[in-house]
Amino acid sequence: MNVHVNGGRPGDPAGVIDFAFLDEIIALRHDLHRHPELAFEEKRTAGVIARYLLSYGYTVQEGIGGTGVVATLKRGRGSKRLGIRADFDALPITEETGQPFTSENAGVMHACGHDGHTAILLAAARYLAEEVAFEGTLVLIFQPAEEIGAGAKAMIGQGLFERFPVDAVFGLHNWPGVAAGRFGFVAGPAMASVDQALITVRGKGGHGASPHEAVDPVLASASLITALQSIVSRNIDPLETAVVTVGSIHGGAASNVIPESVELKLTLRAFTEEVRARLETRVPALARSQAESFGASAEVKYRRGFPAVVNDEAETAFVRDVAERNFPAGTVIADFRPRTASEDFAYMLQARPGAYVFVGNGEGAPLHSPHYRFNDDIIAPAATLWVRLAETFLS
């Protein structure tokens, strides 16, 4: 059953809206893809977004949290206020897709689909302005600098929700490997927190032929890498989730020289603050003890990133119900599971109730790959979800 509230097109069939202007939105997405910009440098992107929103009849404020854009549209006498967020920054990756609209900004690429998220919200914004007579206020948040985990915090720090109050806020992310246009909903922890550790293991350099005269930080580091996985298997409740990944190790320059030091870079992920705190305690403790067991020492610099994305139960149930009532059976994935990737939308969910939604991008390269391709076929289904959410929420 397809529900149309206060002026939605009563002739629309259940399922995806037939957006008459979809080709224009796809062309816009390709333009954004061709001109990607890194965190807090997205001046062109923000300007394009603002121009489109102004042409749709929204009141637009630019420069919030650096390059953020917020658009509002009030209809009727309703007091409810709905926030929907899209991100629009790119990554420092050299594109290798070969698409005709490949990035023209060397070494910068929309390898996470933020250009697509922006196109989705702009499609919904236009349709809501032209076709739906809702009651209340739409607050559309276009956020910079998600990839470095700073944009949401910057916008909130500049009074985002005081200047543009909302009763609830929603966002979404495309997900490769999930069938295109299908939706995933997770109540509670949906994406992990992310922290980083830089470990420097210091020994005593020497000749590779005389290891007994040196203190080998390479050997100590190798042992430490193995030992770090004992945190997950022996220090974390087996029913909880944690990730300890050593993504980088550097030390030495020659095969016959034992270096003075080795540097390791770690990423740490968790769904709860309790597990997150446990990782923060155990990683430095284990690094130091392992190093000392080899006669070396370890210095640990631990930096917290952003928290887990924790969806509110009520808001998640609400948006899931909207999807189940407005799309064919099977569109909503019954058993969609949390992701251990991270998202700074977490800060918005700490400030206001809401939910973060996943939409399948189809088969293809993963996020953050130079071969990643956003699937234009998911723009219409995802924009339809935002339209149906808005007309139901603001009724």
Side-chain angles (χ1 to χ4, degrees):
M1 178 179 179
N2 202 8
V3 178
H4 300 271
V5 180
N6 294 341
R9 284 185 178 173
D12 284 346
V16 178
I17 294 170
D18 182 12
F19 295 97
F21 49 82
L22 183 59
D23 287 346
E24 180 183 337
I25 292 294
I26 292 173
L28 165 61
R29 206 279 292 180
H30 292 179
D31 175 74
L32 296 177
H33 190 90
R34 189 179 285 113
H35 301 97
E37 296 171 299
L38 296 175
F40 293 129
E41 298 176 6
E42 318 95 328
K43 293 181 180 179
R44 180 188 184 276
T45 305
V48 170
I49 292 168
R51 287 196 299 274
Y52 272 83
L53 291 165
L54 285 168
S55 73
Y56 301 159
Y58 286 78
T59 300
V60 178
Q61 296 289 327
E62 297 182 68
I64 300 170
T67 46
V69 179
V70 178
T72 57
L73 185 65
K74 180 173 175 57
R75 292 273 173 82
R77 298 182 180 181
S79 62
K80 295 188 74 174
R81 302 177 64 91
L82 171 66
I84 306 178
R85 171 268 205 177
D87 41 15
F88 58 76
D89 60 321
L91 284 157
I93 293 174
T94 298
E95 183 166 359
E96 297 179 14
T97 64
Q99 297 178 112
F101 48 89
T102 291
S103 169
E104 296 177 2
N105 188 353
V108 182
M109 175 190 175
H110 272 296
C112 204
H114 294 185
D115 51 339
H117 301 164
T118 295
I120 288 164
L121 188 50
L122 287 172
R126 178 170 174 178
Y127 189 89
L128 286 162
E130 294 178 352
E131 306 291 347
V132 183
F134 55 85
E135 290 281 332
T137 303
L138 268 174
V139 179
L140 307 184
I141 303 163
F142 292 84
Q143 181 206 305
E146 186 281 326
E147 295 293 0
I148 64 170
K153 204 170 186 179
M155 294 188 80
I156 292 168
Q158 289 193 4
L160 173 65
F161 293 125
E162 289 74 32
R163 296 166 64 183
F164 309 96
V166 297
D167 299 307
V169 63
F170 296 84
L172 64 71
H173 207 294
N174 77 94
W175 212 263
V178 176
R182 297 187 69 193
F183 295 104
F185 302 92
V186 180
M191 299 186 78
S193 61
V194 57
D195 300 318
Q196 294 180 337
L198 172 63
I199 302 175
T200 303
V201 179
R202 292 191 172 88
K204 177 185 176 183
H207 198 294
S210 304
H212 61 291
E213 296 176 355
V215 175
D216 191 349
V218 176
L219 181 60
S221 297
S223 179
L224 172 58
I225 290 171
T226 301
L228 284 168
Q229 298 311 313
S230 71
I231 297 174
V232 176
S233 66
R234 288 298 178 265
N235 300 141
I236 304 299
D237 185 329
L239 299 181
E240 298 284 356
T241 298
V243 175
V244 178
T245 294
V246 180
S248 172
I249 176 169
H250 290 279
S255 64
N256 63 344
V257 177
I258 294 172
E260 289 284 335
S261 65
V262 173
E263 183 181 87
L264 300 89
K265 296 180 180 179
L266 284 67
T267 184
L268 299 311
R269 312 276 173 146
F271 286 124
T272 69
E273 282 301 310
E274 292 76 16
V275 171
R276 190 183 189 192
R278 185 67 168 154
L279 293 175
E280 189 171 7
T281 299
R282 289 298 297 147
V283 167
L286 196 58
R288 294 183 184 110
S289 62
Q290 281 285 309
E292 288 171 3
S293 73
F294 287 86
S297 64
E299 176 189 356
V300 182
K301 295 180 180 179
Y302 205 98
R303 184 173 69 85
R304 282 205 161 201
F306 34 100
V309 172
V310 182
N311 287 335
D312 288 277
E313 297 277 347
E315 281 68 29
T316 305
F318 185 90
V319 67
R320 182 181 183 125
D321 180 66
V322 168
E324 288 176 338
R325 289 191 292 108
N326 286 281
F327 290 94
T331 302
V332 173
I333 301 169
D335 55 352
F336 195 83
R337 302 177 66 187
R339 268 42 187 168
T340 49
S342 304
E343 239 286 352
D344 77 343
F345 188 70
Y347 290 118
M348 294 195 182
L349 290 177
Q350 288 184 337
R352 292 294 183 274
Y356 200 60
V357 178
F358 300 89
V359 58
N361 193 58
E363 294 303 319
L367 301 172
H368 292 209
S369 164
H371 302 285
Y372 165 83
R373 296 182 180 217
F374 179 83
N375 186 349
D376 288 329
D377 289 343
I378 73 170
I379 292 176
T384 297
L385 179 66
W386 285 155
V387 169
R388 300 310 183 208
L389 173 67
E391 65 181 5
T392 305
F393 193 94
L394 300 175
S395 62

